[in-house]
């Protein structure tokens, strides 16, 4: 690429920019290098959208506690974002144990994904990417390790010009507002990935730390909402069934898109192929369907016999019981993933 990074500032901790001395895995923690990486990824959009969104959040306070790995620097062939060790404390929480991947060289992709120092294959996790090679390599490694993997191929959509997005005023008596943490239970109970305290913890994190928008009725109850995630993607868009057909989600998405654009983020989403209502809503707002597939892959080592570490969970958010695990797996098996609700984005 021919672009050399600036010299690290003297205050960078020793080794923080270079990571472990072993080859093929470097942890980038130097702010100047992370900012440079963000600029490099920006020039490769839209193929790098999930990784780019994750790196943007790392550079803006890192609310999800992610870290960034590359195979080499500055001429990287593979970028991987993952949760920091202190964040990925629960080995069965595949909501929090969130990875994104982008590669320029499939050999580098295979090597980094197969490196157990880069990906903790002893934990349940989800990984997202826009390239077939991410799916193929995760699939092959999971098979070789005799692990379960579930695949949710989404259609990627990107808005080419967020300031030009049509804006819809809410109906009389309704008002727009950020989603409140007090409404996390409602969101969990209307999400196909919900039904357990892992998902409640994850949704609570999204509500507290990432942009969101909802429409409140006169009593202050959300009737339509949309969140964003650590990848800066629109997610968990939903309108209560009794309020559908009134275009409420257009107001919500328009408001949220304006927030994202004002802070420099792309405005994009992934929608399951059968979710025609969501596709219709987003296309009416001038989103464009990108070529390729937005893969969401869930890998589970099989924790049916393991006991969760209760000390890692608060009294208000206990670790899921075995019954909750089965409930979560049933939801996932239905193929309803992110954006899989009626009238969602």
């Amino acid at each position: 690429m021919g672009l050399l990074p600036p010299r690290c500032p003297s205050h960078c901790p020793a080794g923080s920019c270079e990571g472990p001395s072993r080859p093929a895995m470097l942890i980038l923690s130097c702010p100047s290098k992370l900012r440079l990486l963000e600029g490099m990824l920006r020039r490769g959009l839209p193929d790098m959208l999930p990784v780019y969104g994750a790196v943007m959040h790392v550079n803006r306070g890192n609310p999800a506690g992610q870290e960034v790995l590359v195979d080499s620097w500055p001429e990287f062939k593979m970028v991987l974002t993952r949760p920091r060790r202190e964040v990925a404390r629960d080995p069965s929480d595949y909501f929090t144990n969130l990875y994104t991947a982008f590669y320029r060289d499939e050999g580098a992709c295979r090597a980094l994904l197969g490196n157990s120092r880069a990906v903790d294959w002893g934990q349940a996790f989800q990984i997202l990417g826009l390239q077939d090679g991410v799916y193929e390599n995760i699939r092959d490694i999971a098979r070789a390790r005799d692990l379960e993997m579930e695949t949710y191929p989404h259609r990627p959509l990107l808005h080419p010009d967020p300031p030009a997005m049509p804006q819809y005023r809410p109906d009389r008596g309704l008002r727009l507002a950020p989603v409140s943490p007090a409404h996390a239970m409602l969101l969990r109970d209307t999400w196909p990935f919900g039904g357990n305290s892992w998902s409640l913890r994850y949704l609570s994190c999204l509500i507290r730390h990432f942009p969101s928008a909802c429409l409140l009725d006169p009593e202050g109850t959300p009737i339509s909402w949309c969140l964003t995630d650590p990848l800066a993607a629109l997610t968990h868009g939903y309108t209560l069934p009794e309020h559908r057909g009134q275009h409420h989600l257009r107001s919500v998405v328009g408001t949220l898109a304006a927030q994202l654009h004002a802070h420099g983020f792309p405005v994009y989403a992934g929608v399951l192929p059968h979710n025609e209502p969501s596709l219709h809503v987003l296309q009416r707002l001038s989103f464009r369907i990108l070529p390729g597939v937005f893969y969401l892959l869930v890998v589970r080592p099989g924790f049916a016999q393991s006991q969760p570490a209760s000390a890692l969970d608060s009294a208000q958010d206990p670790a899921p019981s075995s019954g909750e695990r089965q409930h979560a797996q049933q939801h996932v098996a239905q193929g309803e993933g992110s954006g899989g609700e009626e009238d969602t984005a």
Side-chain angles (χ1 to χ4, degrees):
M1 291 163 46
L3 183 60
L4 294 177
R7 180 180 295 274
C8 261
S10 58
H11 62 265
C12 278
S16 67
C17 294
E18 307 307 330
S21 59
R22 300 176 189 176
M25 188 184 106
L26 304 174
I27 300 175
L28 293 185
S29 57
C30 174
S32 62
K33 290 186 177 180
L34 286 167
R35 288 193 297 269
L36 182 58
L37 176 63
E38 180 181 324
M40 293 174 174
L41 296 173
R42 185 184 306 115
R43 293 193 289 273
L45 296 177
D47 294 344
M48 304 180 181
L49 272 169
V51 168
Y52 176 65
V55 170
M56 285 192 73
H57 275 307
V58 169
N59 286 338
R60 289 157 179 79
N62 200 9
Q66 293 267 306
E67 60 187 7
V68 182
L69 282 69
V70 293
D71 65 307
S72 58
W73 183 260
E75 303 289 340
F76 64 86
K77 298 177 182 176
M78 171 74 179
V79 183
L80 183 75
T81 68
R82 69 180 185 185
R84 290 176 174 171
R85 181 175 298 179
E86 63 268 23
V87 173
R89 298 176 301 173
D90 187 338
S92 47
D93 183 0
Y94 59 87
F95 296 96
T96 301
N97 302 338
L98 173 67
Y99 294 70
T100 68
F102 171 81
Y103 66 89
R104 292 192 175 110
D105 178 88
E106 192 160 348
C109 174
R110 187 180 308 109
L112 196 59
L113 292 179
N115 185 338
S116 59
R117 295 183 300 116
V119 177
D120 189 344
W121 289 92
Q123 292 189 328
F125 66 90
Q126 59 175 304
I127 184 167
L128 297 97
L130 286 168
Q131 296 166 290
D132 292 342
V134 173
Y135 159 70
E136 292 163 357
N137 281 290
I138 291 291
R139 177 200 62 196
D140 293 346
I141 297 169
R143 285 177 178 173
R145 292 173 176 264
D146 197 26
L147 304 176
E148 298 178 11
M149 187 190 85
E150 294 161 350
T151 305
Y152 303 99
H154 292 65
R155 290 185 181 180
L157 295 98
L158 174 69
H159 202 286
D161 187 13
M165 183 181 297
Q167 295 294 319
Y168 296 86
R169 293 183 179 180
D171 292 344
R172 188 174 182 179
L174 305 178
R175 61 185 177 92
L176 287 161
V179 178
S180 166
H183 299 132
M185 291 286 287
L186 172 63
L187 270 64
R188 183 196 70 171
D189 293 343
T190 54
W191 192 31
F193 269 119
N196 59 77
S197 55
W198 294 320
S199 59
L200 178 61
R201 183 164 51 201
Y202 178 68
L203 290 171
S204 297
C205 174
L206 298 189
I207 293 168
R208 289 194 306 267
H209 299 301
F210 298 94
S212 66
C214 70
L215 269 181
L216 300 175
D217 68 12
E219 287 73 42
T221 301
I223 64 170
S224 183
W225 56 83
C226 188
L227 307 180
T228 58
D229 64 15
L231 288 61
L234 301 175
T235 189
H236 193 58
Y238 190 82
T239 299
L240 294 176
E242 59 270 28
H243 294 280
R244 291 177 186 163
Q246 302 175 58
H247 311 307
H248 292 318
L249 201 58
R250 296 181 189 178
S251 300
V252 172
V253 172
T255 297
L256 191 49
Q259 293 181 45
L260 291 169
H261 180 72
H263 290 89
F265 287 93
V267 180
Y268 77 105
V271 177
L272 288 167
H274 66 264
N275 190 357
E276 293 296 334
S278 285
L279 291 171
H280 178 71
V281 168
L282 295 180
Q283 287 180 297
R284 286 293 298 269
L285 291 171
S286 302
F287 280 76
R288 294 179 182 173
I289 298 177
L290 300 175
V293 177
F294 189 175
Y295 289 101
L296 188 161
L297 311 172
V298 178
V299 178
R300 273 194 280 260
F303 285 89
Q305 303 303 318
S306 65
Q307 295 296 321
S310 58
L312 301 180
D313 301 286
S314 67
Q316 292 78 21
D317 189 13
S321 66
S322 59
E324 285 184 296
R325 287 194 192 90
Q326 183 178 8
H327 186 201
Q329 291 171 0
Q330 289 172 347
H331 275 306
V332 174
Q334 292 168 0
E336 289 291 337
S338 174
E341 304 275 6
E342 180 74 9
D343 194 25
T344 64

